[in-house]
Amino acid sequence: MKQLNLSEQLLTNISNAAKEIKIGGIVAFPTETVYGLGANALDPIAVAKIFELKGRPKFDPLIVHIADLSDIKLLASSDDSRIYQLAEIFWPGPLTIVVPKSTVVPDIVTAGLQTVGIRMPKNSIALELIKKSGCPIAAPSANKFGKISPTTAEHVKKYFPKIDLILDGGKTEVGIESTVIKLNERGFEILRHGVITKEEIESIIPYYSEGKNDVITAPGMIKSHYSPNKPFYILNEKVKSRIDKSKAGIISFSGKDTEGFKRIIYLSETQDLSEAAANLFGAMHQLEELDVEIIVAEPVPEKGIGIAIMDRLKKAAYKSQGYIKKNIFLK
Ligand code: TXA
Ligand code: MG
């Protein structure tokens, strides 16, 4: 009975949120990755409010969320069969596909680019919200620009105490943002790593990077990101000898090297990378709140989902540690 009441309440909340979207308002909602700050993707004035609220630079494009494959035709200029091939395997799910955009997508959504990032989230609240709103929803992660992404409704409230429409779906399952890929003539390239790996996508369509690096530079691919409001370091010998552990908190993966730290947060007791990803931003939020002056994170093995986790850690550590290359730090 309780379950039924809860879901009825949630359905009412979703209906109210959809009404808000329809009149050009903004709603925070859960996806399987992180919480999003959504508006009608086809309404430039509504979308402008997201940029304003988040303090996001206008050169950083937003992802458009859909609930039905028929919206691909609306948003993309070409009916590329590879989108459907990928959708069949990975959607709904944490994969964003960047494709040439149609004219209905306002320039503000794509930051003036001729491409649009589309994804179908795997979260029933998100899907219901999109369906009830009757439009695709443009949404960045629901954090202030450059800060740690939110994986609970409480995290969203911390950033935006004045937003009254936050749909609460509990803690998100995946915990880090979607893999973003861009389709090119010969295959796909990766713009942001996520839990869907290059190898998994490569089993459907070929990998072909037009850039020199594995990850090409694109708007929004900023070196510093996910920054906690305290100094943040990736653990290495130098850091170990420099910091006062009695004033520091550690985010631990292996369970080793934790001695002397004031606070310890374990990402996964079984060293499971998916579980670690799901707990990563929550751990960073927690240590922001706790009585420590410094946050340290243990590096994880840089393979599979570990690549996406290390990407987030390196961006979080950039301001304090000046990450430049694999395992090379300025400080
Ligand atoms: O999991 C996610 O992707 C979450 C949830 C809410 O869906 N969203 C998210 O949005 O992480 P945001 O705005 O925080 O990050 C979107 C990234 C940005 O780095 C942006 O530059 C890239 O996707 N992006 C979006 N559209 C693009 C485009 N047309 N070309 C290149 N990059 C694009
Ligand atoms: Mg973000």
Side-chain angles (χ1 to χ4, degrees):
M1 248 342 198
K2 200 174 166 217
Q3 191 67 40
L4 188 73
N5 282 341
L6 267 183
S7 63
E8 269 176 8
Q9 181 60 55
L10 202 49
L11 281 172
T12 310
N13 293 349
I14 296 170
S15 295
N16 291 336
K19 278 181 205 153
E20 189 62 27
I21 297 276
K22 279 183 181 166
I23 60 165
I26 291 184
V27 168
F29 64 99
T31 77
E32 80 281 32
T33 57
V34 299
Y35 277 69
L37 206 55
N40 178 352
L42 307 180
D43 178 347
I45 295 167
V47 173
K49 290 182 195 162
I50 297 179
F51 281 89
E52 214 176 285
L53 206 62
K54 233 186 111 102
R56 182 177 176 115
K58 292 270 174 19
F59 59 75
D60 196 358
L62 304 184
I63 292 170
V64 179
H65 299 71
I66 62 172
D68 197 299
L69 290 183
S70 63
D71 276 345
I72 295 170
K73 276 206 178 86
L74 176 74
L75 301 168
S77 67
S78 68
D79 212 17
D80 191 331
S81 65
R82 294 175 300 174
I83 309 174
Y84 298 90
Q85 264 177 286
L86 292 166
E88 197 180 330
I89 309 290
F90 299 113
W91 283 359
L95 178 71
T96 297
I97 308 172
V98 173
V99 293
K101 82 173 190 77
S102 75
T103 51
V104 305
V105 182
D107 283 340
I108 188 166
V109 172
T110 65
L113 297 174
Q114 287 311 306
T115 54
V116 60
I118 308 173
R119 93 174 186 100
M120 188 187 288
K122 192 179 182 177
N123 176 290
S124 46
I125 299 176
L127 291 171
E128 190 65 21
L129 174 69
I130 300 165
K131 282 181 201 153
K132 283 200 170 135
S133 301
C135 60
I137 293 185
S141 50
N143 51 276
K144 288 279 186 182
F145 177 68
K147 298 293 174 191
I148 309 165
S149 297
T151 52
T152 65
E154 286 70 35
H155 296 157
V156 182
K157 274 176 213 151
K158 185 166 105 175
Y159 292 121
F160 305 105
K162 286 185 184 152
I163 288 196
D164 30 42
L165 267 167
I166 302 176
L167 294 173
D168 192 344
K171 185 184 165 201
T172 61
E173 280 165 37
V174 171
I176 57 174
E177 304 85 347
S178 60
T179 306
V180 180
I181 62 165
K182 185 175 176 186
L183 298 183
N184 54 45
E185 276 185 19
R186 296 168 67 171
F188 75 94
E189 50 202 334
I190 297 181
L191 303 186
R192 180 176 68 190
H193 289 283
V195 300
I196 295 181
T197 61
K198 178 183 167 197
E199 289 72 25
E200 286 176 273
I201 304 165
E202 244 180 337
S203 69
I204 313 296
I205 59 170
Y207 176 76
Y208 181 77
S209 175
E210 287 175 337
K212 282 194 190 119
N213 307 318
D214 211 25
V215 173
I216 70 154
T217 46
M221 305 294 141
I222 298 160
K223 283 186 191 137
S224 167
H225 221 114
Y226 318 108
S227 295
N229 57 16
K230 293 176 181 173
F232 186 97
Y233 296 93
I234 298 177
L235 190 67
N236 63 10
E237 289 308 317
K238 226 186 228 175
V239 170
K240 243 187 256 179
S241 63
R242 264 186 53 200
I243 61 156
D244 181 352
K245 290 183 187 173
S246 70
K247 291 182 179 160
I250 183 163
I251 300 173
S252 171
F253 180 68
S254 70
K256 294 176 197 149
D257 280 328
T258 56
E259 216 185 291
F261 280 94
K262 188 172 189 185
R263 301 278 178 185
I264 306 165
I265 297 182
Y266 297 97
L267 289 182
S268 167
E269 305 257 310
T270 55
Q271 282 83 55
D272 176 74
L273 286 169
S274 305
E275 192 185 4
N279 291 327
L280 179 68
F281 288 140
M284 286 163 72
H285 277 286
Q286 242 181 300
L287 288 172
E288 255 196 351
E289 303 298 322
L290 282 170
D291 53 351
V292 292
E293 288 170 20
I294 299 167
I295 306 174
V296 174
E298 184 190 356
V300 304
E302 219 159 355
K303 54 179 186 231
I305 297 170
I307 296 173
I309 295 176
M310 284 307 292
D311 167 70
R312 304 319 188 263
L313 292 182
K314 286 170 188 173
K315 284 178 178 148
Y318 186 76
K319 275 189 197 149
S320 307
Q321 213 165 9
Y323 167 84
I324 34 176
K325 266 187 191 167
K326 208 172 188 173
N327 298 328
I328 300 173
F329 298 91
L330 291 175
K331 295 176 211 161

